[in-house]
Amino acid sequence: MDKRNRLALAYLLIGISAAGRALLAVPENTQLQELSLTVLAVVGYLLICRRTVLPLVCGTVQLVLELVLCGSQSGGVWVWLMPLLRVADLWILLLTAVLMLRQAEQPARVMPAVAAVPLAVYTVAHFLPKATAVAAISFVIFSVILLWYAVLMLRAYNAARIKE
């Protein structure tokens, strides 16, 4: 890869980040891993911020949410907000995916719509104590769909690499 091809590098970093998040596939006790993968994605967003700044803004908000979630593991003021912050983080991830797919000129309708369904189920089930199994299953399905996003970003990487 040409080291001057910032666009291709950005798509590669974002694709790797999405694949890493997809492979976590568990909703709890992954805050530190998600944080490191979000940092990787934010580096990718920084590389393309001349073209669009919205993914960088979303990535920064995700980073802040995940830092709060990591700090809340040991208790503290934010502990009662953890479920809400967790859900907000995932919805912002989906919004960022939509923005990146549009920017990369990849098909941006089907994957986000399909991903929104298990994420909506997770959002509701996450707040219901008796629906823990449903929340876990929907989160795993959402994670698998993130692999689709990773493939689309890697396809955009390949297109940008060949274009230059």
Side-chain angles (χ1 to χ4, degrees):
M1 183 178 113
D2 182 10
K3 291 175 178 53
R4 293 169 291 172
N5 192 341
R6 296 167 57 118
L7 184 62
L9 180 59
Y11 293 153
L12 179 64
L13 291 174
I14 294 164
I16 291 170
S17 171
R21 285 192 72 132
L23 295 175
L24 292 175
V26 290
E28 306 303 328
N29 300 321
T30 59
Q31 287 89 1
L32 192 56
Q33 294 88 342
E34 286 177 333
L35 180 65
S36 61
L37 291 166
T38 301
V39 168
L40 184 66
V42 167
V43 170
Y45 304 146
L46 277 169
L47 289 172
I48 62 161
C49 69
R50 284 188 219 157
R51 295 173 186 261
T52 178
V53 74
L54 289 176
L56 180 60
V57 171
C58 290
T60 304
V61 170
Q62 268 188 280
L63 203 55
V64 169
L65 286 173
E66 290 169 10
L67 283 169
V68 170
L69 286 167
C70 282
S72 299
Q73 287 179 350
S74 60
V77 178
W78 298 96
V79 92
W80 63 275
L81 268 178
M82 282 182 71
L84 183 62
L85 295 178
R86 181 92 189 100
V87 167
D89 178 49
L90 294 173
W91 280 104
I92 293 171
L93 173 62
L94 184 59
L95 172 63
T96 308
V98 170
L99 294 171
M100 284 308 305
L101 289 172
R102 286 184 184 157
Q103 199 283 321
E105 298 174 354
Q106 293 293 315
R109 293 184 185 171
V110 178
M111 191 286 300
V114 171
V117 173
L119 188 53
V121 171
Y122 174 77
T123 300
V124 172
H126 190 63
F127 294 103
L128 302 173
K130 294 186 179 189
T132 306
V134 173
I137 291 168
S138 61
F139 186 85
V140 169
I141 293 169
F142 176 73
S143 296
V144 169
I145 296 169
L146 278 181
L147 285 175
W148 186 1
Y149 170 57
V151 167
L152 290 173
M153 290 311 299
L154 292 176
R155 189 179 294 166
Y157 154 73
N158 193 39
R161 184 178 59 84
I162 291 171
K163 192 184 253 185
E164 288 259 336

